[in-house]
Amino acid sequence: MKARTSWNVVCKVEDLVPESGVAVWTEDGPVAVFYLPHRLPALFAISHTDPFSGSNVLARGITGDIKGEPVVASPLYKQHFSLITGQCLEDETVKIKTYPVLLDGDQIRLEVPVNKQETAAA
Amino acid sequence: MSKHTLIVIGNGMVGHHFLEQLTATAAADRFHIKVFGEEKLLAYDRVHLSEYFGGSTHADLAMGTAEWYAENHIDLHLGEQVTAIDRENQTITTPMGDYAYDELVLATGSYPFVPPIKGNEHPHCLVYRTLEDLDRIRASAAGVKTGVVVGGGLLGLEAANALKSLGVNAHVVEFAPRLMPVQLDTDGGALLKRKIEELGVQVHTEKATTEIVDGEHARLRMNFSDDSHLETDLIVFSAGIRPQDTLARASGLDIGERGGIVINNQCTTSDPHIHAIGECALWSERIFGLVAPGYTMARTLAAALNGDREAAFTGADMSTKLKLLGVDVGSIGDAHAQTPGARNIRFNDEKVGHYRRMVISEDGKTLLGAILVGDNSHYDTLLQYALNDITLPDNPETLILPESQGGAPALGPDALPETASICSCHNVTKGDICGAIDAGCSDLASVKGETKASTGCGGCAALLKNVVDSELEKRGVEVSKDLCEHFPYSRQELFHLVKVNGIRTFHTLIRDHGKGHGCDICKPTVASILATCWNEHILATDHVPLQDTNDTFMANMQKNGTYSIVPRIPGGEITPDKLIVLGEVAKEYNLYTKITGGQRVDLFGATLSELPAIWEKLIAAGFETGHAYGKSLRTVKSCVGSTWCRYGVQDSVGMAIFLENRYKGLRSPHKIKMAVSGCTRECAEAQSKDIGVIATENGWNLYVCGNGGMRPRHADLFATDLSDEALIRTIDRVLMFYVRTADRLQRTSVWMENLEGGLDYLKQVVLEDSLGLGAELEEHMEGLVGTYQCEWKTAVADPEKRKRFREFVNAPEKTDPVQQWTTERDQRRPVLESETA
Ligand SMILES: Cc1cc2nc3c(=O)[nH]c(=O)nc-3n(C[C@H](O)[C@H](O)[C@H](O)COP(=O)(O)OP(=O)(O)OC[C@H]3O[C@@H](n4cnc5c(N)ncnc54)[C@H](O)[C@@H]3O)c2cc1C
Ligand code: SF4
Ligand code: SF4
Ligand code: FES
């Protein structure tokens, strides 16, 4: 049975930074949303948590492409993560979460699981 | 079959090399091998002895390991001096007992000659040969002012450099009328003397020491035959070496008139069971005081013991290429034109300080010898002509003329015959290198590993690289200088493209000159180039996504995702009021506070969203960004200088503040650090910086291209007694030339070492304006200084830019739950992973 999900509004188009990422807080924890205007589709969402340090920093990495694959480089230890699959290019055993993302008018929606309780309230 | 016993006396460079060679042959199984060494330490690289003062240890210099000896079943007796040889009974004697041998190898090297001067037994009269000698010199030099080296030859100058590096004022006293009398002629010696004196070592030629007595102001006083004298705290004798032939002499082996154990072409002495190799051996009435001939003897003897009847030592090339106190010196073959009919060609540029002499045969067809001072860039080519009997061009003078005067480009590796010797230490020819490449080596490192080329004295490194590159290229292997997969250019080439085509965005550059969309290597590189060329704000929309997170958020990310903040404190000078503001801000935001090595204050633990508010407060108090996050000028450290310090001769703080304000914000290939000291006591440690300034009575001495960190390097003296204006003009040029031509992440030291011609070339470009670039470099710098803006000031004033500093764009009040804190020594710090488990 497929887990229940919902398409939540996480931010507006004007919050995004072209060629770069921003972090949003979701029911599933911190997520990094990237906007690469030259690509189709142009939006990508992956976990904001760098698996090597446990810190929430991936939205602040540099984006680019390696052999055609869109990637972000962790700002801490510089590993690359595919924006499409979440696969770490330097370590095949490490893969981070990715989230379906779409543009709805001037809003960005993210598909996240719903039944998870938010931890550590603001 | 019972094994024979082979004993080697001496565990030095050549003795060790002999064992390496022998154990690689079948003969090793025939022998039970014993080695006796007088020194307590396993054989080490004596050629690089001086690096011991630069921080290398015995382990770094060691040639082999105790395990290697054990694996090869060699009995190692270190610290056990052999005192006698009994040839009749075939035994040797040590303080521990007698040992029988079947074959005996003498590899006892040589010892430093101490001239018979009255008083030379004083405890602060030392020599320079072993690691123990260096320990003694270090102890003797501690805390004293002056040291003298007796002897101005190769080793003497190296010893002088060592004294200098220990912080004593070094003098060289030479009996002959010039330095390095064996290798150089009058003009070459004079130029070398001038250059060395410029580096602060005083040279006294034609001085004969008559006695050493107690000094008045220092420990010792040397009296000279011309009634002059010199006071000094220690003396290092380096007046030549003598072959260590005591044992051989006492046991009645043939000895040369002036010492040395006589050997034949198979390295065997007058006793067929005793052999001698290395510096103790005398072949054809010659002693070879270099390591390469010793290695050749070692190889020959190993082959001969293995039954090779052809093996023969037939002499060796004594050419040398050195850097003495940073000055290039080269001497090839018949440098003094002793061959009958030999003719000379000389080039002497006293202004630049280059001297070159070629000695050619009577018919002008072959190169017999050469002398080079000040610039060794012609050495490899000339050596190849001399060693391989390559016919000289019709106008041989072109080989040593500067290119601007019609000089020929260096002999390319293609012109060399297969038999050309590339590495004389390990006897590697061009043919051997080609063979290694054909057998599968595909880069320099693997060729080195396979052939051992360039792992001895290192003198052949540049030539080896040329040969390997050219051979690889011939075989279609690309030697890539590309920045990354997106740009087929080096940083310098990209700089050129940006500048010449007036390119202002990454987008245009990659569209016109690259492919794909960029990555974390090319984007920050291009951002730095754009900043140098056009100096636009780094948070301008086009530039944001190019930057490393530290540049984007203008702070240094720490491991838990928070940032540290370092406001600029020019020259380390700060008013109490500003210091209080730092304290107040740190307290308000609960920031961990630490003083940095660059005389500033580092505030740790700010979250992304807190950064703008913190900076607003700092800016209001008059602070500016410190660029601790950027590849740009960090700090200009200073001592208090003449204002307070009783030794100070100039206002070092004033100059440091001026320099810091001038160069702040300059984007560069890597970080840049500077320091200014108020006198030669050097309290600001300027010689460990990219740009170091030390005050003199008459102005400023400028040092360049030093650094601390992983591979520390002392800065080189670049210019002396500069006025304020000249100092700034010179720094402008050096920095701008660096920014324009260095590779990505190349510090000034590596950049300079990689410039063809090194320091001398840099001096020509900057001080003599040899490229005619001076005015342009200054103008470019002036433009950058004029358009400086504090990035934080611009950012906090702009609501659009401030938007970037939201931790979570949809939850402004949310704090990052992974950031957990605890208190240690009264300050807040992150909880460590080990503490949460
Ligand atoms: C500072 C310095 C810089 C140099 N720079 C260069 C350079 O740039 N290029 C170059 O080619 N060469 C250079 N040399 C010379 C080079 O180091 C020597 O040519 C080389 O070390 C000779 O090797 P060897 O084995 O013959 O002698 P050594 O390396 O001197 O070894 C001889 C060993 O035998 C031991 N021994 C002697 N007598 C006895 C005994 N009775 N019983 C037991 N052991 C004994 C000694 O203690 C010593 O350890 C330099 C030398 C020095 C000191
Ligand atoms: S370098 Fe000289 S002027 Fe500066 S503090 Fe030291 S002794 Fe004083
Ligand atoms: S020395 Fe190492 S641990 Fe210390 S600040 Fe530098 S990089 Fe970090
Ligand atoms: S010539 Fe000495 S290492 Fe090659």
Side-chain angles (χ1 to χ4, degrees), chain B residues 490-522:
Chain B
S490 68
R491 182 183 182 275
Q492 188 181 352
E493 289 164 338
L494 281 178
F495 190 99
H496 223 74
L497 285 172
V498 167
K499 186 96 195 157
V500 172
N501 299 313
I503 294 173
R504 281 175 177 265
T505 65
F506 179 79
H507 186 69
T508 326
L509 186 67
I510 197 161
R511 186 193 62 207
D512 296 350
H513 302 282
K515 61 167 194 268
H517 302 287
C519 66
D520 54 314
I521 293 185
C522 57

Side-chain angles (χ1 to χ4, degrees), chain A residues 10 14-15 17-19 21 23-25 38 55-57 60 62-65 67 73 75-76 78 80 118 120, chain B residues 485-486 517-518 520 523-524 545 547-549 553 557 559-561 563 803-804 806-810 814 816-817:
Chain A
V10 290
E14 60 183 46
D15 291 321
V17 184
E19 308 281 1
V24 295
W25 188 261
H38 58 80
S55 300
N56 291 321
V57 295
R60 298 177 226 158
I62 297 180
T63 63
D65 59 349
K67 303 205 169 69
L76 277 168
K78 315 294 176 196
H80 298 91
E118 189 176 329
Chain B
E485 67 176 69
H486 304 102
H517 302 287
D520 54 314
K523 282 181 169 179
Q547 316 273 0
D548 191 69
T549 181
F553 300 107
M557 185 189 272
K559 63 198 247 186
N560 66 350
Y563 290 86
K803 265 176 56 183
R804 282 291 280 148
R806 291 176 294 177
E807 187 103 41
F808 299 105
V809 295
N810 60 345
K814 179 137 201 102
D816 185 340

Side-chain angles (χ1 to χ4, degrees), chain B residues 100-141:
Chain B
Y101 68 81
D102 297 292
E103 300 290 333
L104 183 64
V105 177
L106 299 170
T108 47
S110 51
Y111 61 90
F113 170 64
V114 177
I117 298 168
K118 210 172 124 221
N120 66 12
E121 71 292 337
H122 190 281
H124 289 281
C125 289
L126 303 162
V127 294
Y128 199 79
R129 174 91 197 165
T130 65
L131 286 175
E132 280 188 8
D133 293 335
L134 267 58
D135 284 335
R136 282 185 205 111
I137 292 173
R138 199 197 307 255
S140 171

Side-chain angles (χ1 to χ4, degrees), chain B residues 638-642 644-650 652 676-684 694-695:
Chain B
S638 70
C639 73
V640 286
S642 57
W644 292 92
C645 176
R646 65 201 148 121
Y647 300 112
V649 290
Q650 306 280 353
S652 47
V676 184
S677 280
C679 79
T680 52
R681 285 176 181 72
E682 245 285 67
C683 298
I694 301 178

Side-chain angles (χ1 to χ4, degrees), chain B residues 17 199 290 416 460 476 514-516 680 715 717 743 745 812:
Chain B
H17 193 75
L199 294 170
L290 292 175
L416 297 175
C460 59
K515 61 167 194 268
T680 52
L717 181 60
D743 256 333
L745 295 187

Side-chain angles (χ1 to χ4, degrees), chain B residues 597-672:
Chain B
Q599 303 186 334
R600 325 203 263 190
V601 180
D602 206 342
L603 310 172
F604 289 79
T607 62
L608 188 59
S609 350
E610 286 170 341
L611 288 174
I614 292 175
W615 268 107
E616 220 158 28
K617 296 208 158 91
L618 293 174
I619 288 166
F623 283 104
E624 289 184 321
T625 178
H627 293 106
Y629 43 85
K631 304 284 177 246
S632 53
L633 174 71
R634 295 285 167 87
T635 66
V636 184
K637 190 172 167 179
S638 70
C639 73
V640 286
S642 57
T643 318
W644 292 92
C645 176
R646 65 201 148 121
Y647 300 112
V649 290
Q650 306 280 353
D651 176 13
S652 47
V653 182
M655 180 51 82
I657 294 176
F658 181 86
L659 293 178
E660 186 152 348
N661 282 327
R662 181 171 182 80
Y663 301 115
K664 63 188 175 191
L666 175 73
R667 296 290 150 164
S668 53
H670 210 305
K671 62 187 170 198
I672 299 174

